[in-house]
Structure formats: structure tokens, C-alpha cells
Amino acid sequence: MPERTLQTVRDLRRSNRSLLLRRLYFGGPLSRQDLIHTTSLSAASVSNVVADLVDDGLVVEAGALESEGGRPRILLRVNSSALHVVGVDVGETRVRVELFDLDLERQAGTDLPLDAGGFTAPEVVTRIRAGLEAVTGAAAPDGPALLGIGIGVPGVVQHSPDAVVHGQTNGWDGVPLERLLHEFTDLPIFIDNGAVTMGQAEMWFGAGRGTRNTVVTLIGSGVGASVVTAGSPYRGSTSSAGEWGHTTVRVDGRRCRCGSRGCLEAYIGAESVIARFLEIADDPAVRDAADEESALAALLARTDSAAAREVLDDTAVHIGAGVANLINLFNPERIVIGGWAGLMLGSALLPRIRETAREYALHHPFSQTRITLGDLGPDAVTRGAATLPVARFLAAGGTRSRAGAQAAPASGH
């Protein structure tokens, strides 16, 4: 009985710390009185937990507010400089590694290109290692400790218990990525699908903030989505939900990289958009561009080209039809178009995308859905990856994870 009581007290303390940390993280700065009014905790509990968090260096004072007829109210916030965290975006053409403070403000970063055909597990691991060394080397030697590494990858991520990645379009079949990374680091590693990490970033800090039912789409070389329902990503039975790019938009249509035909990705993914244009127009600015981002930018700049206008209009129509399918299936409050290619295409084509979605979606759910671009730019996957260790940290009441501890499923706040 005493052991059970101790465990219950320990759990209650962790739960209270988590509750107050999350309130301060997402809503701060707040006073102790604010925390009492917005939680179910007593004044004594708030006072004791806040004192613990201040003693641990996780919460600091952030000024004061004058009050009528009484003492000023001291404001509190999470100490953003208490810890650092690393976010990694494993793209199909490069690996981006960034160092963040606890508020997920960027401190350092590096991009490491992948050679053509270089999307192999050893190549990716090598670049993650080099990126980690670069960004941690840029930090002060006596600076904040590292909370962990969050990684967003293309493909399906399963935890059994270590993270294993399945990527049909890039030839990854059960790659034990977490185990490979632990060969050179003892830091806690948190791995999830890149669209899910980007979705969490947009839900925490960007275009999805304040909503509970939102779809955040990622359009890059490939295409994916994070379907957030009741504040948490819908994952399906084996974590493969959200493969929006591999929904069929044309039976017997264009060949997709996954091997099937008529997938949405074969019409709106950057690689496919560029290929479709070059099939009908031999444009040196697009054909000879240094990378996909440069090629897509050159294509979007060709406003004088009938071929470019045709391909881009067709791309907008397919994005709009795909968005209509999401509206009809999930009835979201908001659909956020993100990813580096999604932001480039959306900036030029959003009116046409909305027009097509209106045409193909059911009228009432369409009228309840806002279609918008992501707020966080092309770095959203990296920042979203960094939310993975931060989410675990907040859920644990400010207790750091052990090396090898995996991420809890991403969720809203």
C-alpha cells in the first residue's frame, strides 16, 4: 500500500507540473492568479508547483502587472533558454538540421544536399550526424543542455519499440533509422512522418492554431498530409494514415513513383509538375535548373508561356480536387497548404485552388472550411520535428527523457 500511495503522489505531481508547464508554454506569460483561474488546481498547489518549476530553472519571472488596490501580479513564463532541442527535416533532396531554444526559436542551422540517387539510409544518417555536429558546435560550450533530437522523414514510421521507416517511393523497407542513429549519439531520438511534424508545428504556432479539426498538407517532391481530429493526428491502425498524395485522382492515370497509377502526387508533387511541363516545353531555365526548387521557381516565373500556364492551371485543379476530397472526408475547420512546393504553388494559384475545391466539395462543409497557406514557411518540418521532444518534455512535467525513449504520438495543445 505505501508503494502504491507513493506512485500515486508522484503521478499527481507530474500531472500538475505538466498542466502548469503547458499553460505557460502555450499561453504565457501568466500570473499565479491566472493559473489558478484557468486550471482545477488550488492556490496552494499552484504555489507549490510553480516554486518547484522555478527552482528547477524551467520557469522564470516575466515582469509584473499592476492590480487595483493590491500588490502587482508577477508574471511567469517558461524559461526558453533552459534547454536546446534539435529538429531534422529529412527531405528527398537534402537534410536540414536546426538548433532551437525551448520556445523553438532558431539558434543555428545547416542544409546538407543529397546527391542524385543518394536517398539511402547510410547517406541520410551521415548527413544527420554531420548536421548535428555542425549545429551543436555552433552553440556555446557551456550553453543549455540538449533535450533531444526530433526527426521528420518521408514515409510510414512504426515504433516497435525503436522507430522503423517504410518509404515505398524511395525504396526504404523497414529501415531501422533510430538504431542507426544511436550508433553515434546517446541523445533521446524522436522520429515521425514529416507531414505530421509539420502539422504539429502549424497547430502549435502557425495557421492551425486555435483549431481542433484541421488538415495540414505537405507538398514538396512528394505529397502528404496530417489529419488532425480533436486536436490529435489521426494515424490509422499502422500509422500510415495521411498519405494524401497516394489517393487516386485518375484511374489508369500517370505513373506515380510508388508504382501505382493516377495518384494525386503524380499531378501535384514538384517532381511531377516539372516533368509534365518539360514533356511539352523544352525550357532551358527549368530543364537546367540546379535543383527542384529552382526549377519550380523558374516554371512559375514563365507567365508568358502557354505551356507553363496550362500545366500550372492543371496543377491547381488537381490540388483543388484533392482539397475537396479532404473536405468531404474529414469536414475540417481549416485546410492548410504547406511544404516548400505547396507554398510556392499556393502563393500563385490559391484562388484557382479554392475555386476548384468549391466546385467539387459538398456545399455545406465547404462553407465551413477555410483554405489557407501555412504560416511557418519551408522550415516548418524542421520546427515541427523539434516539437516532438518538447511535447514529451511538457507531458512529463519537465522531466527529461532517457536516451532511446521514443516520442508519444504528436498531439495538439
Side-chain angles (χ1 to χ4, degrees):
M1 181 64 71
E3 181 178 346
R4 181 177 178 183
T5 301
L6 285 173
Q7 184 63 38
T8 301
V9 171
R10 190 180 304 118
D11 289 346
L12 180 61
R13 178 175 178 271
R14 182 175 63 233
S15 175
N16 290 345
R17 281 172 62 99
S18 175
L19 177 60
L20 294 190
L21 261 182
R22 290 169 67 87
R23 288 297 169 96
L24 289 171
Y25 189 82
F26 293 111
L30 298 169
S31 69
R32 289 171 177 81
Q33 291 85 349
D34 294 329
L35 292 171
I36 293 167
H37 294 152
T38 59
T39 69
S40 58
L41 302 182
S42 66
S45 293
V46 167
S47 179
N48 290 335
V49 173
V50 166
D52 283 346
L53 293 172
V54 169
D55 287 344
D56 290 345
L58 298 179
V59 169
V60 293
E61 293 185 359
L65 284 178
E66 296 294 334
S67 60
E68 296 180 5
R71 293 183 300 174
R73 292 187 298 161
I74 303 300
L75 295 176
L76 304 165
R77 63 172 175 82
V78 171
N79 181 8
S80 62
S81 62
L83 293 163
H84 277 165
V85 61
V86 172
V88 180
D89 174 9
V90 177
E92 298 187 22
T93 59
R94 56 101 183 97
V95 174
R96 176 175 289 154
V97 183
E98 295 184 336
L99 180 73
F100 299 89
D101 67 13
L102 202 52
D103 278 343
L104 299 185
E105 294 295 331
R106 186 179 183 273
Q107 307 298 303
T110 184
D111 270 349
L112 300 159
L114 289 165
D115 299 331
F119 195 87
T120 65
E123 293 288 338
V124 168
V125 169
T126 296
R127 281 158 178 77
I128 292 175
R129 181 174 188 171
L132 181 62
E133 291 171 352
V135 299
T136 55
D142 57 348
L146 272 176
L147 180 60
I149 307 169
I151 303 173
V153 297
V156 178
V157 180
Q158 289 187 295
H159 301 109
S160 55
D162 291 345
V164 175
V165 183
H166 304 269
Q168 188 167 321
T169 60
N170 50 49
W172 282 29
D173 184 13
V175 171
L177 184 58
E178 184 180 356
R179 179 176 61 77
L180 294 174
L181 295 172
H182 272 308
E183 291 179 3
F184 67 83
T185 181
D186 291 330
L187 287 168
I189 294 172
F190 304 78
I191 303 174
D192 212 331
N193 173 268
V196 173
T197 72
M198 189 188 79
Q200 180 147 292
E202 290 287 355
M203 293 296 289
W204 280 22
F205 306 111
R209 190 166 188 176
T211 66
R212 299 278 290 166
N213 298 280
T214 289
V215 180
V216 182
T217 68
L218 186 159
I219 306 174
S221 297
V223 176
S226 175
V227 180
V228 179
T229 61
S232 298
Y234 175 71
R235 295 178 176 273
S237 61
T238 59
S239 299
S240 70
E243 290 292 343
W244 180 52
H246 299 291
T247 54
T248 303
V249 292
R250 288 192 188 180
V251 175
D252 294 329
R254 291 180 64 88
R255 178 72 67 181
C256 180
R257 299 182 305 164
C258 73
S260 186
R261 287 188 176 276
C263 293
L264 182 62
E265 183 175 300
Y267 296 90
I268 71 171
E271 180 181 306
S272 298
V273 173
I274 294 163
R276 288 195 294 131
F277 172 68
L278 292 176
E279 287 170 8
I280 60 176
D282 185 22
D283 188 317
V286 177
R287 184 192 64 224
D288 301 331
D291 51 41
E292 276 187 355
E293 294 186 35
S294 301
L296 186 59
L299 172 55
L300 285 163
R302 290 303 310 271
T303 55
D304 60 336
S305 165
R309 292 195 299 271
E310 176 186 338
V311 168
L312 291 173
D313 186 70
D314 188 64
T315 300
V317 167
H318 279 90
I319 296 174
V323 165
N325 288 338
L326 293 174
I327 292 171
N328 291 342
L329 281 170
F330 298 108
N331 186 27
E333 301 165 65
R334 197 166 299 171
I335 290 181
V336 179
I337 298 173
W340 67 265
L343 294 173
M344 291 173 70
L345 292 166
S347 295
L349 307 174
L350 192 56
R352 182 70 165 125
I353 291 168
R354 287 174 173 154
E355 175 189 332
T356 305
R358 179 185 294 108
E359 180 180 352
Y360 286 101
L362 294 172
H363 296 166
H364 182 69
F366 175 84
S367 70
Q368 306 300 308
T369 304
R370 180 184 170 201
I371 303 167
T372 187
L373 299 183
D375 286 344
L376 302 181
D379 290 348
V381 174
T382 319
R383 195 176 184 193
T387 68
L388 300 177
V390 173
R392 171 58 68 87
F393 177 72
L394 295 175
T399 301
R400 295 173 62 185
S401 299
R402 295 172 288 103
Q406 251 306 327
S411 63
H413 60 271

